[in-house]
Every structure is written in structure tokens, then in C-alpha cells.
PDB file of all heavy atoms in Angstrom:
ATOM      1  N   ASN A   1     107.042 117.310 109.840  1.00  0.00           N
ATOM      2  CA  ASN A   1     108.374 117.010 110.181  1.00  0.00           C
ATOM      3  C   ASN A   1     109.003 115.778 109.534  1.00  0.00           C
ATOM      4  O   ASN A   1     110.136 115.531 109.472  1.00  0.00           O
ATOM      5  CB  ASN A   1     108.662 117.007 111.648  1.00  0.00           C
ATOM      6  CG  ASN A   1     108.564 118.478 112.246  1.00  0.00           C
ATOM      7  OD1 ASN A   1     109.138 119.488 111.714  1.00  0.00           O
ATOM      8  ND2 ASN A   1     107.751 118.597 113.318  1.00  0.00           N
ATOM      9  N   ASN A   2     108.102 114.844 109.195  1.00  0.00           N
ATOM     10  CA  ASN A   2     108.502 113.481 108.800  1.00  0.00           C
ATOM     11  C   ASN A   2     107.269 112.947 108.079  1.00  0.00           C
ATOM     12  O   ASN A   2     106.318 113.526 107.881  1.00  0.00           O
ATOM     13  CB  ASN A   2     108.951 112.805 109.986  1.00  0.00           C
ATOM     14  CG  ASN A   2     107.873 112.704 111.069  1.00  0.00           C
ATOM     15  OD1 ASN A   2     106.578 112.668 110.895  1.00  0.00           O
ATOM     16  ND2 ASN A   2     108.352 112.951 112.358  1.00  0.00           N
ATOM     17  N   ALA A   3     107.533 111.718 107.617  1.00  0.00           N
ATOM     18  CA  ALA A   3     106.575 110.982 106.647  1.00  0.00           C
ATOM     19  C   ALA A   3     105.368 110.749 107.603  1.00  0.00           C
ATOM     20  O   ALA A   3     104.215 110.677 106.974  1.00  0.00           O
ATOM     21  CB  ALA A   3     107.260 109.685 106.224  1.00  0.00           C
ATOM     22  N   THR A   4     105.457 110.438 108.840  1.00  0.00           N
ATOM     23  CA  THR A   4     104.282 110.096 109.665  1.00  0.00           C
ATOM     24  C   THR A   4     103.427 111.446 109.808  1.00  0.00           C
ATOM     25  O   THR A   4     102.207 111.327 109.576  1.00  0.00           O
ATOM     26  CB  THR A   4     104.746 109.668 111.108  1.00  0.00           C
ATOM     27  OG1 THR A   4     105.537 108.526 110.933  1.00  0.00           O
ATOM     28  CG2 THR A   4     103.532 109.464 112.025  1.00  0.00           C
ATOM     29  N   ASP A   5     104.042 112.547 110.006  1.00  0.00           N
ATOM     30  CA  ASP A   5     103.273 113.828 110.042  1.00  0.00           C
ATOM     31  C   ASP A   5     102.478 114.043 108.694  1.00  0.00           C
ATOM     32  O   ASP A   5     101.405 114.482 108.624  1.00  0.00           O
ATOM     33  CB  ASP A   5     104.195 115.016 110.193  1.00  0.00           C
ATOM     34  CG  ASP A   5     104.738 115.019 111.651  1.00  0.00           C
ATOM     35  OD1 ASP A   5     104.181 114.438 112.457  1.00  0.00           O
ATOM     36  OD2 ASP A   5     105.602 115.844 111.755  1.00  0.00           O
ATOM     37  N   MET A   6     103.153 113.599 107.525  1.00  0.00           N
ATOM     38  CA  MET A   6     102.573 113.752 106.153  1.00  0.00           C
ATOM     39  C   MET A   6     101.345 112.876 106.090  1.00  0.00           C
ATOM     40  O   MET A   6     100.261 113.362 105.613  1.00  0.00           O
ATOM     41  CB  MET A   6     103.581 113.564 105.053  1.00  0.00           C
ATOM     42  CG  MET A   6     102.870 113.526 103.770  1.00  0.00           C
ATOM     43  SD  MET A   6     102.173 115.159 103.215  1.00  0.00           S
ATOM     44  CE  MET A   6     103.745 116.016 102.585  1.00  0.00           C
ATOM     45  N   SER A   7     101.449 111.656 106.470  1.00  0.00           N
ATOM     46  CA  SER A   7     100.322 110.662 106.348  1.00  0.00           C
ATOM     47  C   SER A   7      99.166 111.198 107.244  1.00  0.00           C
ATOM     48  O   SER A   7      98.017 111.136 106.834  1.00  0.00           O
ATOM     49  CB  SER A   7     100.726 109.215 106.817  1.00  0.00           C
ATOM     50  OG  SER A   7     101.403 108.616 105.798  1.00  0.00           O
ATOM     51  N   LEU A   8      99.416 111.699 108.425  1.00  0.00           N
ATOM     52  CA  LEU A   8      98.367 112.272 109.285  1.00  0.00           C
ATOM     53  C   LEU A   8      97.765 113.412 108.676  1.00  0.00           C
ATOM     54  O   LEU A   8      96.480 113.542 108.804  1.00  0.00           O
ATOM     55  CB  LEU A   8      98.846 112.433 110.806  1.00  0.00           C
ATOM     56  CG  LEU A   8      99.199 111.170 111.456  1.00  0.00           C
ATOM     57  CD1 LEU A   8      99.944 111.471 112.832  1.00  0.00           C
ATOM     58  CD2 LEU A   8      98.017 110.413 111.900  1.00  0.00           C
ATOM     59  N   PHE A   9      98.577 114.399 108.227  1.00  0.00           N
ATOM     60  CA  PHE A   9      98.140 115.530 107.553  1.00  0.00           C
ATOM     61  C   PHE A   9      97.110 115.151 106.348  1.00  0.00           C
ATOM     62  O   PHE A   9      95.992 115.675 106.355  1.00  0.00           O
ATOM     63  CB  PHE A   9      99.274 116.301 107.045  1.00  0.00           C
ATOM     64  CG  PHE A   9      98.809 117.520 106.239  1.00  0.00           C
ATOM     65  CD1 PHE A   9      98.425 118.717 106.869  1.00  0.00           C
ATOM     66  CD2 PHE A   9      98.754 117.565 104.887  1.00  0.00           C
ATOM     67  CE1 PHE A   9      98.020 119.909 106.065  1.00  0.00           C
ATOM     68  CE2 PHE A   9      98.316 118.598 104.092  1.00  0.00           C
ATOM     69  CZ  PHE A   9      97.948 119.778 104.744  1.00  0.00           C
ATOM     70  N   LEU A  10      97.514 114.252 105.602  1.00  0.00           N
ATOM     71  CA  LEU A  10      96.639 113.928 104.336  1.00  0.00           C
ATOM     72  C   LEU A  10      95.359 113.143 104.810  1.00  0.00           C
ATOM     73  O   LEU A  10      94.304 113.314 104.191  1.00  0.00           O
ATOM     74  CB  LEU A  10      97.399 112.976 103.523  1.00  0.00           C
ATOM     75  CG  LEU A  10      98.706 113.465 102.760  1.00  0.00           C
ATOM     76  CD1 LEU A  10      99.318 112.529 101.936  1.00  0.00           C
ATOM     77  CD2 LEU A  10      98.276 114.746 101.911  1.00  0.00           C
ATOM     78  N   LEU A  11      95.373 112.481 105.965  1.00  0.00           N
ATOM     79  CA  LEU A  11      94.244 111.787 106.408  1.00  0.00           C
ATOM     80  C   LEU A  11      93.294 112.828 107.039  1.00  0.00           C
ATOM     81  O   LEU A  11      92.072 112.877 106.751  1.00  0.00           O
ATOM     82  CB  LEU A  11      94.576 110.788 107.561  1.00  0.00           C
ATOM     83  CG  LEU A  11      93.305 110.015 108.247  1.00  0.00           C
ATOM     84  CD1 LEU A  11      92.606 109.213 107.153  1.00  0.00           C
ATOM     85  CD2 LEU A  11      93.821 109.138 109.354  1.00  0.00           C
ATOM     86  N   GLU A  12      93.753 113.756 107.710  1.00  0.00           N
ATOM     87  CA  GLU A  12      92.944 114.794 108.360  1.00  0.00           C
ATOM     88  C   GLU A  12      92.421 115.951 107.524  1.00  0.00           C
ATOM     89  O   GLU A  12      91.284 116.372 107.580  1.00  0.00           O
ATOM     90  CB  GLU A  12      93.716 115.369 109.661  1.00  0.00           C
ATOM     91  CG  GLU A  12      93.922 114.275 110.673  1.00  0.00           C
ATOM     92  CD  GLU A  12      94.947 114.748 111.857  1.00  0.00           C
ATOM     93  OE1 GLU A  12      95.424 115.932 111.707  1.00  0.00           O
ATOM     94  OE2 GLU A  12      95.081 114.048 112.735  1.00  0.00           O
ATOM     95  N   GLU A  13      93.422 116.421 106.566  1.00  0.00           N
ATOM     96  CA  GLU A  13      93.091 117.524 105.705  1.00  0.00           C
ATOM     97  C   GLU A  13      92.615 117.125 104.269  1.00  0.00           C
ATOM     98  O   GLU A  13      91.791 117.877 103.710  1.00  0.00           O
ATOM     99  CB  GLU A  13      94.341 118.425 105.636  1.00  0.00           C
ATOM    100  CG  GLU A  13      94.817 118.977 106.910  1.00  0.00           C
ATOM    101  CD  GLU A  13      93.709 119.953 107.521  1.00  0.00           C
ATOM    102  OE1 GLU A  13      92.829 120.497 106.715  1.00  0.00           O
ATOM    103  OE2 GLU A  13      93.702 120.126 108.779  1.00  0.00           O
ATOM    104  N   ALA A  14      93.094 115.948 103.807  1.00  0.00           N
ATOM    105  CA  ALA A  14      92.660 115.565 102.525  1.00  0.00           C
ATOM    106  C   ALA A  14      91.614 114.392 102.499  1.00  0.00           C
ATOM    107  O   ALA A  14      91.063 114.070 101.509  1.00  0.00           O
ATOM    108  CB  ALA A  14      93.911 114.994 101.638  1.00  0.00           C
ATOM    109  N   LEU A  15      91.520 113.992 103.814  1.00  0.00           N
ATOM    110  CA  LEU A  15      90.630 112.652 103.997  1.00  0.00           C
ATOM    111  C   LEU A  15      91.070 111.553 103.050  1.00  0.00           C
ATOM    112  O   LEU A  15      90.129 110.773 102.524  1.00  0.00           O
ATOM    113  CB  LEU A  15      89.200 113.119 103.804  1.00  0.00           C
ATOM    114  CG  LEU A  15      88.576 114.233 104.453  1.00  0.00           C
ATOM    115  CD1 LEU A  15      87.113 114.393 104.192  1.00  0.00           C
ATOM    116  CD2 LEU A  15      88.818 113.966 106.146  1.00  0.00           C
ATOM    117  N   VAL A  16      92.324 111.348 102.960  1.00  0.00           N
ATOM    118  CA  VAL A  16      92.896 110.272 102.212  1.00  0.00           C
ATOM    119  C   VAL A  16      93.795 109.452 103.184  1.00  0.00           C
ATOM    120  O   VAL A  16      94.696 110.046 103.731  1.00  0.00           O
ATOM    121  CB  VAL A  16      93.694 110.735 101.008  1.00  0.00           C
ATOM    122  CG1 VAL A  16      94.323 109.529 100.262  1.00  0.00           C
ATOM    123  CG2 VAL A  16      92.768 111.421  99.933  1.00  0.00           C
ATOM    124  N   ALA A  17      93.706 108.184 103.214  1.00  0.00           N
ATOM    125  CA  ALA A  17      94.449 107.355 104.076  1.00  0.00           C
ATOM    126  C   ALA A  17      95.662 106.776 103.249  1.00  0.00           C
ATOM    127  O   ALA A  17      95.418 105.990 102.314  1.00  0.00           O
ATOM    128  CB  ALA A  17      93.611 106.102 104.738  1.00  0.00           C
ATOM    129  N   THR A  18      96.841 107.068 103.844  1.00  0.00           N
ATOM    130  CA  THR A  18      98.062 106.492 103.267  1.00  0.00           C
ATOM    131  C   THR A  18      98.781 105.794 104.484  1.00  0.00           C
ATOM    132  O   THR A  18      98.376 105.760 105.558  1.00  0.00           O
ATOM    133  CB  THR A  18      98.961 107.585 102.608  1.00  0.00           C
ATOM    134  OG1 THR A  18      99.345 108.518 103.699  1.00  0.00           O
ATOM    135  CG2 THR A  18      98.215 108.152 101.496  1.00  0.00           C
ATOM    136  N   VAL A  19      99.977 105.382 104.269  1.00  0.00           N
ATOM    137  CA  VAL A  19     100.798 104.893 105.290  1.00  0.00           C
ATOM    138  C   VAL A  19     102.173 105.532 105.367  1.00  0.00           C
ATOM    139  O   VAL A  19     102.896 105.684 104.208  1.00  0.00           O
ATOM    140  CB  VAL A  19     101.052 103.204 105.211  1.00  0.00           C
ATOM    141  CG1 VAL A  19     101.720 102.814 106.490  1.00  0.00           C
ATOM    142  CG2 VAL A  19      99.656 102.581 105.049  1.00  0.00           C
ATOM    143  N   THR A  20     102.745 105.864 106.637  1.00  0.00           N
ATOM    144  CA  THR A  20     103.994 106.428 106.570  1.00  0.00           C
ATOM    145  C   THR A  20     105.151 105.464 106.125  1.00  0.00           C
ATOM    146  O   THR A  20     105.035 104.340 106.621  1.00  0.00           O
ATOM    147  CB  THR A  20     104.312 106.965 108.078  1.00  0.00           C
ATOM    148  OG1 THR A  20     105.765 107.344 108.127  1.00  0.00           O
ATOM    149  CG2 THR A  20     104.018 105.811 109.134  1.00  0.00           C
ATOM    150  N   GLY A  21     106.111 105.944 105.629  1.00  0.00           N
ATOM    151  CA  GLY A  21     107.258 105.110 105.188  1.00  0.00           C
ATOM    152  C   GLY A  21     108.068 104.716 106.403  1.00  0.00           C
ATOM    153  O   GLY A  21     108.868 103.752 106.313  1.00  0.00           O
ATOM    154  N   GLU A  22     107.943 105.429 107.546  1.00  0.00           N
ATOM    155  CA  GLU A  22     108.606 105.070 108.614  1.00  0.00           C
ATOM    156  C   GLU A  22     108.308 103.758 109.153  1.00  0.00           C
ATOM    157  O   GLU A  22     109.159 102.861 109.741  1.00  0.00           O
ATOM    158  CB  GLU A  22     108.428 106.058 109.800  1.00  0.00           C
ATOM    159  CG  GLU A  22     109.019 107.342 109.488  1.00  0.00           C
ATOM    160  CD  GLU A  22     108.957 108.403 110.575  1.00  0.00           C
ATOM    161  OE1 GLU A  22     109.743 108.122 111.690  1.00  0.00           O
ATOM    162  OE2 GLU A  22     108.279 109.336 110.658  1.00  0.00           O
ATOM    163  N   ALA A  23     107.130 103.194 108.901  1.00  0.00           N
ATOM    164  CA  ALA A  23     106.772 101.896 109.263  1.00  0.00           C
ATOM    165  C   ALA A  23     107.479 100.775 108.515  1.00  0.00           C
ATOM    166  O   ALA A  23     107.508  99.707 108.858  1.00  0.00           O
ATOM    167  CB  ALA A  23     105.204 101.618 109.021  1.00  0.00           C
ATOM    168  N   PHE A  24     107.969 101.169 107.206  1.00  0.00           N
ATOM    169  CA  PHE A  24     108.742 100.243 106.410  1.00  0.00           C
ATOM    170  C   PHE A  24     110.262 100.496 106.420  1.00  0.00           C
ATOM    171  O   PHE A  24     110.902 100.038 105.616  1.00  0.00           O
ATOM    172  CB  PHE A  24     108.230 100.483 104.943  1.00  0.00           C
ATOM    173  CG  PHE A  24     106.757 100.367 104.765  1.00  0.00           C
ATOM    174  CD1 PHE A  24     105.960 101.377 104.804  1.00  0.00           C
ATOM    175  CD2 PHE A  24     106.115  99.069 104.787  1.00  0.00           C
ATOM    176  CE1 PHE A  24     104.592 101.313 104.584  1.00  0.00           C
ATOM    177  CE2 PHE A  24     104.788  98.952 104.599  1.00  0.00           C
ATOM    178  CZ  PHE A  24     103.919 100.165 104.549  1.00  0.00           C
ATOM    179  N   GLY A  25     110.665 101.298 107.440  1.00  0.00           N
ATOM    180  CA  GLY A  25     112.125 101.563 107.516  1.00  0.00           C
ATOM    181  C   GLY A  25     112.735 102.673 106.640  1.00  0.00           C
ATOM    182  O   GLY A  25     113.848 102.912 106.378  1.00  0.00           O
ATOM    183  N   ASN A  26     111.758 103.589 106.141  1.00  0.00           N
ATOM    184  CA  ASN A  26     112.115 104.715 105.322  1.00  0.00           C
ATOM    185  C   ASN A  26     111.318 105.967 105.796  1.00  0.00           C
ATOM    186  O   ASN A  26     110.173 106.004 105.825  1.00  0.00           O
ATOM    187  CB  ASN A  26     111.825 104.487 103.876  1.00  0.00           C
ATOM    188  CG  ASN A  26     112.151 105.542 102.953  1.00  0.00           C
ATOM    189  OD1 ASN A  26     111.831 106.720 103.088  1.00  0.00           O
ATOM    190  ND2 ASN A  26     113.005 105.107 101.984  1.00  0.00           N
ATOM    191  N   LYS A  27     112.136 106.915 106.334  1.00  0.00           N
ATOM    192  CA  LYS A  27     111.440 108.124 106.953  1.00  0.00           C
ATOM    193  C   LYS A  27     111.214 109.222 105.982  1.00  0.00           C
ATOM    194  O   LYS A  27     110.561 110.251 106.398  1.00  0.00           O
ATOM    195  CB  LYS A  27     112.567 108.711 107.997  1.00  0.00           C
ATOM    196  CG  LYS A  27     113.800 109.149 107.397  1.00  0.00           C
ATOM    197  CD  LYS A  27     114.730 109.723 108.436  1.00  0.00           C
ATOM    198  CE  LYS A  27     116.038 110.248 107.846  1.00  0.00           C
ATOM    199  NZ  LYS A  27     115.886 111.250 106.754  1.00  0.00           N
ATOM    200  N   ASP A  28     111.465 109.102 104.645  1.00  0.00           N
ATOM    201  CA  ASP A  28     111.275 110.051 103.692  1.00  0.00           C
ATOM    202  C   ASP A  28     110.117 109.910 102.773  1.00  0.00           C
ATOM    203  O   ASP A  28     109.720 110.781 102.147  1.00  0.00           O
ATOM    204  CB  ASP A  28     112.424 110.282 102.783  1.00  0.00           C
ATOM    205  CG  ASP A  28     113.694 110.686 103.563  1.00  0.00           C
ATOM    206  OD1 ASP A  28     113.455 111.519 104.533  1.00  0.00           O
ATOM    207  OD2 ASP A  28     114.847 110.385 103.149  1.00  0.00           O
ATOM    208  N   CYS A  29     109.453 108.707 102.805  1.00  0.00           N
ATOM    209  CA  CYS A  29     108.387 108.312 101.918  1.00  0.00           C
ATOM    210  C   CYS A  29     107.063 107.966 102.553  1.00  0.00           C
ATOM    211  O   CYS A  29     107.050 107.742 103.766  1.00  0.00           O
ATOM    212  CB  CYS A  29     108.919 107.161 100.977  1.00  0.00           C
ATOM    213  SG  CYS A  29     110.406 107.500 100.029  1.00  0.00           S
ATOM    214  N   ILE A  30     106.134 107.943 101.743  1.00  0.00           N
ATOM    215  CA  ILE A  30     104.781 107.509 102.181  1.00  0.00           C
ATOM    216  C   ILE A  30     104.399 106.418 101.160  1.00  0.00           C
ATOM    217  O   ILE A  30     104.781 106.429  99.968  1.00  0.00           O
ATOM    218  CB  ILE A  30     103.691 108.531 102.209  1.00  0.00           C
ATOM    219  CG1 ILE A  30     103.469 109.237 100.907  1.00  0.00           C
ATOM    220  CG2 ILE A  30     103.904 109.581 103.455  1.00  0.00           C
ATOM    221  CD1 ILE A  30     102.227 110.248 100.992  1.00  0.00           C
ATOM    222  N   ARG A  31     103.625 105.436 101.626  1.00  0.00           N
ATOM    223  CA  ARG A  31     103.047 104.423 100.681  1.00  0.00           C
ATOM    224  C   ARG A  31     101.605 104.752 100.330  1.00  0.00           C
ATOM    225  O   ARG A  31     100.812 104.962 101.252  1.00  0.00           O
ATOM    226  CB  ARG A  31     103.068 102.996 101.441  1.00  0.00           C
ATOM    227  CG  ARG A  31     102.901 101.800 100.290  1.00  0.00           C
ATOM    228  CD  ARG A  31     102.641 100.539 101.044  1.00  0.00           C
ATOM    229  NE  ARG A  31     101.318 100.373 101.642  1.00  0.00           N
ATOM    230  CZ  ARG A  31     100.984  99.273 102.119  1.00  0.00           C
ATOM    231  NH1 ARG A  31     101.702  98.140 102.191  1.00  0.00           N
ATOM    232  NH2 ARG A  31      99.800  99.114 102.791  1.00  0.00           N
ATOM    233  N   ILE A  32     101.412 104.757  99.117  1.00  0.00           N
ATOM    234  CA  ILE A  32      99.924 104.910  98.571  1.00  0.00           C
ATOM    235  C   ILE A  32      99.669 103.673  97.774  1.00  0.00           C
ATOM    236  O   ILE A  32     100.458 103.324  96.832  1.00  0.00           O
ATOM    237  CB  ILE A  32      99.929 106.198  97.625  1.00  0.00           C
ATOM    238  CG1 ILE A  32     100.511 107.344  98.365  1.00  0.00           C
ATOM    239  CG2 ILE A  32      98.530 106.367  97.173  1.00  0.00           C
ATOM    240  CD1 ILE A  32     100.570 108.642  97.518  1.00  0.00           C
ATOM    241  N   SER A  33      98.595 103.106  98.210  1.00  0.00           N
ATOM    242  CA  SER A  33      98.049 101.914  97.445  1.00  0.00           C
ATOM    243  C   SER A  33      97.093 102.335  96.317  1.00  0.00           C
ATOM    244  O   SER A  33      96.393 103.168  96.594  1.00  0.00           O
ATOM    245  CB  SER A  33      97.315 100.986  98.361  1.00  0.00           C
ATOM    246  OG  SER A  33      96.626 100.025  97.550  1.00  0.00           O
ATOM    247  N   TYR A  34      97.228 101.656  95.145  1.00  0.00           N
ATOM    248  CA  TYR A  34      96.316 101.909  94.052  1.00  0.00           C
ATOM    249  C   TYR A  34      95.450 100.730  93.803  1.00  0.00           C
ATOM    250  O   TYR A  34      94.932 100.461  92.673  1.00  0.00           O
ATOM    251  CB  TYR A  34      97.020 102.355  92.749  1.00  0.00           C
ATOM    252  CG  TYR A  34      98.223 101.624  92.228  1.00  0.00           C
ATOM    253  CD1 TYR A  34      97.961 100.537  91.318  1.00  0.00           C
ATOM    254  CD2 TYR A  34      99.440 101.904  92.577  1.00  0.00           C
ATOM    255  CE1 TYR A  34      99.010  99.780  90.871  1.00  0.00           C
ATOM    256  CE2 TYR A  34     100.566 101.160  91.988  1.00  0.00           C
ATOM    257  CZ  TYR A  34     100.378 100.177  91.145  1.00  0.00           C
ATOM    258  OH  TYR A  34     101.393  99.456  90.676  1.00  0.00           O
ATOM    259  N   ALA A  35      95.275  99.942  94.987  1.00  0.00           N
ATOM    260  CA  ALA A  35      94.185  98.916  94.929  1.00  0.00           C
ATOM    261  C   ALA A  35      92.760  99.545  95.207  1.00  0.00           C
ATOM    262  O   ALA A  35      92.211  99.241  96.216  1.00  0.00           O
ATOM    263  CB  ALA A  35      94.549  97.768  95.835  1.00  0.00           C
ATOM    264  N   ALA A  36      92.440 100.359  94.382  1.00  0.00           N
ATOM    265  CA  ALA A  36      91.129 101.179  94.527  1.00  0.00           C
ATOM    266  C   ALA A  36      90.783 101.461  92.990  1.00  0.00           C
ATOM    267  O   ALA A  36      91.550 101.352  92.071  1.00  0.00           O
ATOM    268  CB  ALA A  36      91.454 102.349  95.308  1.00  0.00           C
ATOM    269  N   SER A  37      89.550 101.913  92.868  1.00  0.00           N
ATOM    270  CA  SER A  37      88.986 102.231  91.683  1.00  0.00           C
ATOM    271  C   SER A  37      89.635 103.399  90.940  1.00  0.00           C
ATOM    272  O   SER A  37      90.248 104.268  91.785  1.00  0.00           O
ATOM    273  CB  SER A  37      87.534 102.463  91.708  1.00  0.00           C
ATOM    274  OG  SER A  37      87.158 103.718  92.430  1.00  0.00           O
ATOM    275  N   LYS A  38      89.566 103.531  89.700  1.00  0.00           N
ATOM    276  CA  LYS A  38      90.145 104.766  89.060  1.00  0.00           C
ATOM    277  C   LYS A  38      89.595 106.019  89.590  1.00  0.00           C
ATOM    278  O   LYS A  38      90.213 107.004  89.690  1.00  0.00           O
ATOM    279  CB  LYS A  38      90.078 104.639  87.528  1.00  0.00           C
ATOM    280  CG  LYS A  38      91.048 103.448  86.978  1.00  0.00           C
ATOM    281  CD  LYS A  38      90.756 103.287  85.542  1.00  0.00           C
ATOM    282  CE  LYS A  38      91.570 102.211  84.973  1.00  0.00           C
ATOM    283  NZ  LYS A  38      91.294 101.738  83.568  1.00  0.00           N
ATOM    284  N   GLU A  39      88.251 105.982  89.806  1.00  0.00           N
ATOM    285  CA  GLU A  39      87.621 107.168  90.201  1.00  0.00           C
ATOM    286  C   GLU A  39      88.008 107.529  91.633  1.00  0.00           C
ATOM    287  O   GLU A  39      88.272 108.590  91.860  1.00  0.00           O
ATOM    288  CB  GLU A  39      86.007 106.808  90.319  1.00  0.00           C
ATOM    289  CG  GLU A  39      85.395 106.670  88.964  1.00  0.00           C
ATOM    290  CD  GLU A  39      85.765 105.289  88.235  1.00  0.00           C
ATOM    291  OE1 GLU A  39      86.029 104.430  89.037  1.00  0.00           O
ATOM    292  OE2 GLU A  39      85.565 105.212  86.953  1.00  0.00           O
ATOM    293  N   GLN A  40      88.299 106.588  92.562  1.00  0.00           N
ATOM    294  CA  GLN A  40      88.747 106.768  93.824  1.00  0.00           C
ATOM    295  C   GLN A  40      90.234 107.338  93.731  1.00  0.00           C
ATOM    296  O   GLN A  40      90.520 108.263  94.490  1.00  0.00           O
ATOM    297  CB  GLN A  40      88.633 105.625  94.710  1.00  0.00           C
ATOM    298  CG  GLN A  40      87.320 105.103  95.185  1.00  0.00           C
ATOM    299  CD  GLN A  40      87.356 103.937  95.968  1.00  0.00           C
ATOM    300  OE1 GLN A  40      87.880 102.956  95.622  1.00  0.00           O
ATOM    301  NE2 GLN A  40      86.775 103.946  97.233  1.00  0.00           N
ATOM    302  N   ILE A  41      91.048 106.829  92.980  1.00  0.00           N
ATOM    303  CA  ILE A  41      92.402 107.227  92.788  1.00  0.00           C
ATOM    304  C   ILE A  41      92.474 108.636  92.320  1.00  0.00           C
ATOM    305  O   ILE A  41      93.149 109.516  92.893  1.00  0.00           O
ATOM    306  CB  ILE A  41      93.119 106.320  91.866  1.00  0.00           C
ATOM    307  CG1 ILE A  41      93.340 104.952  92.393  1.00  0.00           C
ATOM    308  CG2 ILE A  41      94.595 107.001  91.465  1.00  0.00           C
ATOM    309  CD1 ILE A  41      93.780 103.933  91.542  1.00  0.00           C
ATOM    310  N   THR A  42      91.626 108.982  91.352  1.00  0.00           N
ATOM    311  CA  THR A  42      91.550 110.368  90.813  1.00  0.00           C
ATOM    312  C   THR A  42      91.227 111.304  91.826  1.00  0.00           C
ATOM    313  O   THR A  42      91.671 112.352  91.980  1.00  0.00           O
ATOM    314  CB  THR A  42      90.645 110.432  89.539  1.00  0.00           C
ATOM    315  OG1 THR A  42      91.145 109.455  88.533  1.00  0.00           O
ATOM    316  CG2 THR A  42      90.678 111.768  88.950  1.00  0.00           C
ATOM    317  N   GLU A  43      90.145 111.073  92.474  1.00  0.00           N
ATOM    318  CA  GLU A  43      89.531 111.908  93.531  1.00  0.00           C
ATOM    319  C   GLU A  43      90.684 112.083  94.731  1.00  0.00           C
ATOM    320  O   GLU A  43      90.847 113.186  95.227  1.00  0.00           O
ATOM    321  CB  GLU A  43      88.188 111.441  93.958  1.00  0.00           C
ATOM    322  CG  GLU A  43      87.650 112.137  95.308  1.00  0.00           C
ATOM    323  CD  GLU A  43      87.354 113.627  94.887  1.00  0.00           C
ATOM    324  OE1 GLU A  43      87.100 114.039  93.772  1.00  0.00           O
ATOM    325  OE2 GLU A  43      87.359 114.456  95.873  1.00  0.00           O
ATOM    326  N   ALA A  44      91.257 110.943  95.084  1.00  0.00           N
ATOM    327  CA  ALA A  44      92.185 111.060  96.130  1.00  0.00           C
ATOM    328  C   ALA A  44      93.319 112.002  95.853  1.00  0.00           C
ATOM    329  O   ALA A  44      93.796 112.830  96.715  1.00  0.00           O
ATOM    330  CB  ALA A  44      92.649 109.666  96.543  1.00  0.00           C
TER     331      ALA A  44
END
């Protein structure tokens, strides 16, 4: 229903941790950090 649901879905079903945009004042987006290796980014 919202960005928080999306972040939780990705954590539980894709095993990838992101952050809901609602924490940043935006209900439509999620934040994905690419401070990770290229291999991790590709797999995620």
C-alpha cells in the first residue's frame, strides 16, 4: 500500500534491506544505497 510496505516486502521476500521514503518525508519512494560491492548490488 505504500513505500514502507515495499521496503518490508523486499526485506522479507528478496532478502534486501532498503529504507522507506516515508522516513524522509516522501511516501512514494524507497532509498537504496549503493555503498556496497558491485557483486552485492548486482545480486540485490
Side-chain angles (χ1 to χ4, degrees):
N1 291 311
N2 50 47
T4 300
D5 288 345
M6 175 61 85
S7 280
L8 289 172
F9 174 84
L10 294 179
L11 180 61
E12 294 167 356
E13 297 297 332
L15 303 182
V16 176
T18 62
V19 186
T20 172
E22 293 189 67
F24 308 98
N26 183 302
K27 63 181 177 56
D28 294 330
C29 300
I30 61 172
R31 190 188 77 173
I32 306 175
S33 167
Y34 51 88
S37 70
K38 292 173 182 172
E39 292 76 20
Q40 285 180 308
I41 292 168
T42 301
E43 174 62 22

